[in-house]
Amino acid sequence: MAQSQGYFQEINFFPILEFDEEKGDISIATAAVEQLENDLKAGYNHRILVRTKDKRSADRLYNTIYHPHFSKYNPVLVHSDIPATDRTAAIRALRDGASRIVVCVDMFGEGIDIPSLKIAAVHDKYKSLPITLQFIGRFARSSEGLGAATVITNIANDKLNESLQELYAQDSDWNVLLHVLANREINKELSLQELAQGFDSALLHGMTIQQLRPKISMIAYSTNEKKWSPDAIYNVFDPDNCFITINNDSGIIVIVEKLDSNIDWTSFKGINNTNWHLHLIYWNPEIKMFFINSTNKSISDTIAEALFAQSIKINGENIFRCLYGIKRLMLGTIGLKSAIDGPIRFRMFAGIDIGNGIAESQKETSYKSNLFGVGYSGKGKVSIGCSYKGRIWSKWVESIDYWINWCNEIASRLQNEEINTSKIFEGALVPEIINERPSSVPYGIEWPIDLDLINDSSILISRGPNDYSIYELDIKLTTNSENGPIRFSVGNNIVSEEYELYISNEECEFKTIKANGLMLKRRKREYKLAEFFDEFPPRIKFVDQSMLEGNLLVRMTSTPPAFNLDRISTWDWSTVDIRKESQGMQHDKQSIQYHVIQSLIASDKYCVIFDDDDAGEIADIVSIVDAADRITIQFYHCKYAHGDNPGARVADLYEVCGQAEKSIKWCQEPPTIIDRLMKRESSRAQSGGTRFEIGNVRKLREIKNKMRIFPAKIEIFIVQPGIDSKAITDDMLRILSGTGSYLMDTYSIDLQIICS
């Protein structure tokens, strides 16, 4: 190791956190000069090297920041467009100490190799990781009396932060070499790096903790032991065939094991198969549990016995406690064992047979063997599987720190003695094949396979020579009746097609009833849209909270809780035509949307108010509040009234409730909200307009940077002035309770209603 042998010194990595990219450069420069002044006071004759991506950026930084603000240190500019005599004079001034700041593009190509250049102000990342390593390596070279080097950059910048993460993952040397000087917020961003620093990375022989991406799985054990014996792991694994590293402070052991095995088709000893196993052990003494994740399913008990004098594996019926609290659980498989008429038999249920599996599991002669399902935790989608033998798993592949947090969260359920596992299937969703359309009113429809979340051009709808991105189109119901045809359209104000779903004899078909030649392009394939829906049916939601995909119906097994009337607020709509929804490009002052926007502006608390109305919208209005340590994003779904005056029309709620439920998907990855808004603004700008009522693209970039550090809270509002708050019927409350329950179950969002 070059660092351990003294060739390199430790580097102080000084990250700053400036979310406004236009302020980031001055923040980096200010921090670099402060570091220079501190080093000079400490007796170190240091210089600053300002790193930027190109000559244009170098000129800008020199002329607008370093020369006007820090002329005390006589900054010099060096790049290939500067005359050779001036470059030579600048480098001489730098060597002599007449200048203490150099702004450059390529320090190597420009011949800048001055040992006292010990402060790097990195405004832009290098194009490749090897050059980044070479650059930082120059600063890390040891030289007596020079002191430690410092690298300063803005990790709120996506590209610079990606470069830093890539650097950490490249070589374990950098975990030792880069000493992070960070405040609380930045420590949160670099938590995985901090975890890695608790290990002796040399023992992984060049591999890093950040490079390990285990499948999320574990076997849990309880123990009352106050101490463990981590060194006993060497009695289980052969050190000659393993990389073993231990983080005693965090209670974690990582083993990477090499296993050679014979090949079936030859007895020649010189050829064999080489496999690698990963073993993770995590002990949390505070909850008296430890967890083992191993790609070798048979070794967990051996590891447990070596590390702890006493422990008990959690298995049997108690293992199914891990399913507790999962909302809208949709089981994919159920494995049962039974002892009817002789030996124990195993039966597996999947797909439309899940209902039979649940029924069988309730019989005294059956017991659960294993199962897997997906659902919601109130914080988003989850997947979970478990076996009575003790293993619990998810379909995710994640980092080690994610796995640790997941183990702790599952443990809280495993230890809950109040969970009754015999009732674990209550509320589970069961699919069934139907022969006719459901006798309920459809009120919402969504693209299949989450197409509406796509922000690039990988999915296109075309008509002739014209292509439309998926985010420029809407899919929406065109009929809302209890027994009539189920029809919907795809399109915008330029192109549109209408379709009908036919169901009979356990089969379904989508037919185009108003054709316009639309084609869908996906992964080098082209479909007529009706053919695409035959293969990937859209999801249709009904007022009884059942959901239909093709002819596969999932019914809710429980009644949603009553809607909280405190979440209904009334506004004054006396100046508004409640049958006019959108303000349009002309900002119609009588429209519902205009009235809402003006009310938000008057509150003076928003940094962004965005008119997203039109096909492909997230919501009619998206507003953002930028607080000190939290981002709040609000979706306002506006809908026109079906009458001239407020009343008790249930039809006023159908479409807008469907829109509110559809928008919940954006909670999966809040930064994609910002990406979508920027896409939408770019499209609007091409016609000479803007969607911003408050804010701009620069502010959106700042918000996106900040969302990487601070949590984003989503709030959803339905705006329907056609509802008379004093005349709401039971049917209307039934729809509101269904939508409210869906938002709460999935992402813990309280639906709010604004009406008359």
Side-chain angles (χ1 to χ4, degrees):
M1 292 295 200
Q3 195 271 344
S4 61
Q5 293 173 2
Y7 296 122
F8 293 136
Q9 286 185 322
E10 183 182 78
I11 293 178
N12 291 324
F13 174 63
F14 195 105
I16 64 169
L17 205 60
E18 175 52 65
F19 302 103
D20 186 336
E21 292 177 2
E22 295 189 18
K23 295 179 181 178
D25 287 330
I26 187 65
S27 298
I28 292 171
T30 301
V33 171
E34 288 178 357
Q35 184 65 43
L36 173 65
E37 292 172 347
N38 290 335
D39 289 357
L40 292 174
K41 289 178 183 177
Y44 297 115
N45 191 28
H46 287 175
R47 317 281 194 274
I48 297 174
L49 184 140
V50 179
R51 152 68 191 158
T52 186
K53 62 184 177 182
D54 53 36
K55 290 177 282 189
R56 182 178 178 182
S57 295
D59 290 341
R60 177 182 60 81
L61 289 171
Y62 177 80
N63 291 320
T64 64
I65 294 179
Y66 285 95
H67 186 264
H69 294 290
F70 306 108
S71 58
K72 172 183 177 181
Y73 296 106
N74 189 25
V76 294
L77 178 64
V78 177
H79 59 66
S80 58
D81 284 354
I82 303 296
T85 54
D86 292 345
R87 291 203 306 270
T88 301
I91 294 174
R92 184 185 306 114
L94 199 63
R95 291 184 188 278
D96 295 344
S99 170
R100 293 199 178 271
I101 302 175
V102 58
V103 181
C104 70
V105 178
D106 179 7
M107 66 178 286
F108 310 120
E110 288 150 7
I112 303 173
D113 190 6
I114 301 171
S116 58
L117 278 169
K118 282 292 185 178
I119 302 170
V122 182
H123 291 264
D124 301 291
K125 76 169 186 175
Y126 280 99
K127 292 181 180 179
S128 68
L129 184 61
I131 299 177
T132 305
L133 296 174
Q134 184 184 12
F135 170 75
I136 293 181
R138 289 286 181 97
F139 280 80
R141 287 181 305 179
S142 294
S143 183
E144 187 175 350
L146 277 182
T150 302
V151 174
I152 299 168
T153 194
N154 182 16
I155 67 165
N157 179 298
D158 266 340
K159 293 180 180 178
L160 286 170
N161 188 62
E162 288 169 7
S163 184
L164 172 67
Q165 291 177 348
E166 191 181 9
L167 178 69
Y168 271 115
Q170 172 72 14
D171 192 303
S172 56
D173 262 351
W174 301 108
N175 290 311
V176 179
L177 196 59
L178 290 180
H179 175 62
V180 179
L181 306 175
N183 59 27
R184 179 182 61 84
E185 288 81 8
I186 299 174
N187 278 338
K188 179 180 177 182
E189 172 69 14
L190 302 175
S191 60
L192 183 55
Q193 280 78 12
E194 287 188 335
L195 175 65
Q197 289 173 357
F199 292 93
D200 184 349
S201 55
L203 297 177
L204 287 179
H205 296 261
M207 191 180 302
T208 70
I209 295 300
Q210 294 90 334
Q211 289 173 319
L212 299 178
R213 305 282 291 180
K215 291 183 178 179
I216 299 303
S217 173
M218 60 88 161
I219 295 176
Y221 298 79
S222 62
T223 181
N224 291 317
E225 298 294 326
K226 304 297 183 183
K227 296 181 179 180
W228 68 336
S229 305
D231 290 339
I233 203 71
Y234 293 98
N235 298 328
V236 180
F237 297 97
D238 180 0
D240 292 335
N241 289 320
C242 294
F243 306 150
I244 301 175
T245 184
I246 300 170
N247 185 333
N248 247 318
D249 292 338
S250 299
I252 305 168
I253 303 175
V254 177
I255 305 112
V256 179
E257 180 188 19
K258 178 183 177 183
L259 287 177
D260 292 327
S261 59
N262 294 329
I263 293 177
D264 294 339
W265 47 264
T266 182
S267 59
F268 177 58
K269 300 300 182 182
I271 299 177
N272 53 35
N273 280 324
T274 298
N275 293 308
W276 293 88
H277 282 300
L278 175 64
H279 314 276
L280 304 175
I281 301 98
Y282 164 53
W283 176 38
N284 186 339
E286 293 183 3
I287 62 173
K288 299 180 180 180
M289 291 184 70
F290 65 94
F291 312 88
I292 298 175
N293 181 351
S294 175
T295 53
N296 179 352
K297 302 299 187 294
S298 63
I299 202 170
S300 296
D301 287 347
T302 303
I303 295 173
E305 291 169 3
L307 297 179
F308 294 90
Q310 173 274 330
S311 66
I312 300 173
K313 181 195 291 187
I314 298 176
N315 56 17
E317 188 67 15
N318 287 342
I319 206 71
F320 298 101
R321 292 175 180 172
C322 68
L323 297 169
Y324 179 77
I326 297 178
K327 308 293 180 62
R328 299 174 187 261
L329 177 64
M330 178 82 76
L331 293 170
T333 59
I334 298 178
L336 300 178
K337 288 191 175 182
S338 60
I340 303 175
D341 299 329
I344 292 176
R345 296 183 302 162
F346 177 79
R347 300 175 66 190
M348 177 67 75
F349 300 85
I352 60 172
D353 294 326
I354 286 293
N356 295 331
I358 291 177
E360 288 290 328
S361 72
Q362 305 304 310
K363 296 180 179 179
E364 294 183 359
T365 53
S366 295
Y367 62 92
K368 297 183 287 292
S369 172
N370 58 74
L371 55 86
F372 181 83
V374 296
Y376 292 89
S377 65
K379 298 178 182 178
K381 285 184 177 179
V382 295
S383 69
I384 193 160
C386 53
S387 164
Y388 79 103
K389 293 182 178 180
R391 193 166 74 92
I392 302 172
W393 68 94
S394 173
K395 68 178 181 180
W396 316 129
V397 174
E398 277 288 353
S399 62
I400 289 182
D401 60 339
Y402 179 98
W403 175 73
I404 290 169
N405 292 331
W406 178 80
C407 288
N408 288 331
E409 194 274 327
I410 295 292
S412 65
R413 288 180 248 164
L414 296 179
Q415 293 180 322
N416 188 345
E417 299 288 345
E418 296 182 0
I419 296 175
N420 184 347
T421 57
S422 66
K423 297 182 179 181
I424 210 73
F425 291 148
E426 290 183 0
L429 305 182
V430 179
E432 60 177 293
I433 293 177
I434 58 175
N435 296 311
E436 58 185 6
R437 64 97 80 201
S439 296
S440 184
V441 177
Y443 71 93
I445 185 169
E446 301 179 26
W447 286 103
I449 53 179
D450 292 345
L451 294 188
D452 45 2
L453 295 181
I454 293 174
N455 278 322
D456 57 29
S457 298
S458 59
I459 304 288
L460 295 172
I461 305 292
S462 65
R463 179 178 180 270
N466 300 315
D467 289 336
Y468 301 90
S469 297
I470 198 75
Y471 55 81
E472 297 177 300
L473 300 165
D474 259 343
I475 181 170
K476 59 183 181 180
L477 293 166
T478 56
T479 58
N480 301 103
S481 66
E482 188 169 322
N483 296 300
I486 298 176
R487 293 176 178 172
F488 62 96
S489 66
V490 170
N492 54 27
N493 57 4
I494 301 174
V495 295
S496 180
E497 276 193 345
E498 190 172 6
Y499 314 90
E500 183 173 335
L501 170 59
Y502 291 84
I503 301 174
S504 64
N505 299 323
E506 297 189 353
E507 293 183 355
C508 69
E509 182 182 6
F510 290 88
K511 294 183 179 179
T512 306
I513 58 174
K514 291 183 181 178
N516 206 352
L518 297 189
M519 302 289 291
L520 185 142
K521 300 177 181 178
R522 177 175 182 257
R523 295 177 181 171
K524 299 182 180 180
R525 287 188 61 184
E526 288 194 14
Y527 305 79
K528 291 181 179 179
L529 270 175
E531 295 172 350
F532 176 77
F533 291 133
D534 284 336
E535 187 172 346
F536 304 101
R539 292 184 283 266
I540 301 172
K541 191 76 172 288
F542 296 83
V543 295
D544 65 358
Q545 295 305 295
S546 60
M547 186 179 70
L548 182 67
E549 293 188 25
N551 63 341
L552 201 61
L553 183 70
V554 175
R555 304 180 193 271
M556 289 294 292
T557 58
S558 59
T559 302
F563 189 75
N564 184 351
L565 298 180
D566 292 337
R567 299 207 298 270
I568 299 176
S569 58
T570 59
W571 285 16
D572 178 9
W573 302 95
S574 57
T575 61
V576 176
D577 180 352
I578 65 172
R579 301 195 68 151
K580 189 177 292 184
E581 177 183 322
S582 303
Q583 67 172 1
M585 297 282 283
Q586 305 305 316
H587 289 73
D588 189 328
K589 294 183 179 181
Q590 287 190 310
S591 67
I592 298 167
Q593 187 189 22
Y594 180 87
H595 185 69
V596 175
I597 288 173
Q598 296 309 308
S599 297
L600 299 181
I601 292 173
S603 71
D604 196 29
K605 67 177 184 179
Y606 297 96
C607 64
V608 171
I609 298 177
F610 192 89
D611 175 1
D612 197 34
D613 179 44
D614 213 347
E617 67 188 32
I618 296 175
D620 293 285
I621 304 163
V622 179
S623 60
I624 302 176
V625 179
D626 181 6
D629 58 355
R630 177 185 288 272
I631 302 295
T632 301
I633 303 177
Q634 297 176 335
F635 299 160
Y636 289 87
H637 298 280
C638 305
K639 189 51 57 183
Y640 65 89
H642 287 75
D644 293 331
N645 298 302
R649 295 173 294 269
V650 69
D652 282 339
L653 286 174
Y654 287 149
E655 185 175 359
V656 72
C657 283
Q659 291 171 337
E661 292 187 28
K662 186 187 297 187
S663 67
I664 198 72
K665 289 182 179 180
W666 293 97
C667 298
Q668 294 178 31
E669 294 286 343
T672 61
I673 298 171
I674 307 301
D675 294 335
R676 172 60 64 90
L677 297 184
M678 288 194 287
K679 287 274 189 183
R680 302 271 286 174
E681 172 62 11
S682 177
S683 296
R684 175 63 62 86
Q686 293 176 11
S687 61
T690 181
R691 290 185 176 274
F692 286 104
E693 300 287 339
I694 288 180
N696 48 42
V697 171
R698 171 183 169 183
K699 188 63 182 181
L700 287 181
R701 291 197 187 101
E702 178 185 341
I703 293 296
K704 185 180 179 183
N705 284 334
K706 195 169 185 178
M707 287 166 70
R708 291 178 40 255
I709 308 296
F710 298 109
K713 178 184 179 183
I714 310 296
E715 297 179 348
I716 296 180
F717 297 79
I718 284 177
V719 182
Q720 176 49 286
I723 297 175
D724 182 344
S725 62
K726 297 178 181 178
I728 296 177
T729 66
D730 289 343
D731 285 343
M732 297 170 76
L733 287 174
R734 193 172 296 114
I735 296 175
L736 291 176
S737 67
T739 299
S741 175
Y742 181 71
L743 268 56
M744 179 56 63
D745 287 351
T746 52
Y747 287 92
S748 300
I749 293 176
D750 284 322
L751 174 64
Q752 301 180 65
I753 310 298
I754 299 172
C755 60
S756 296

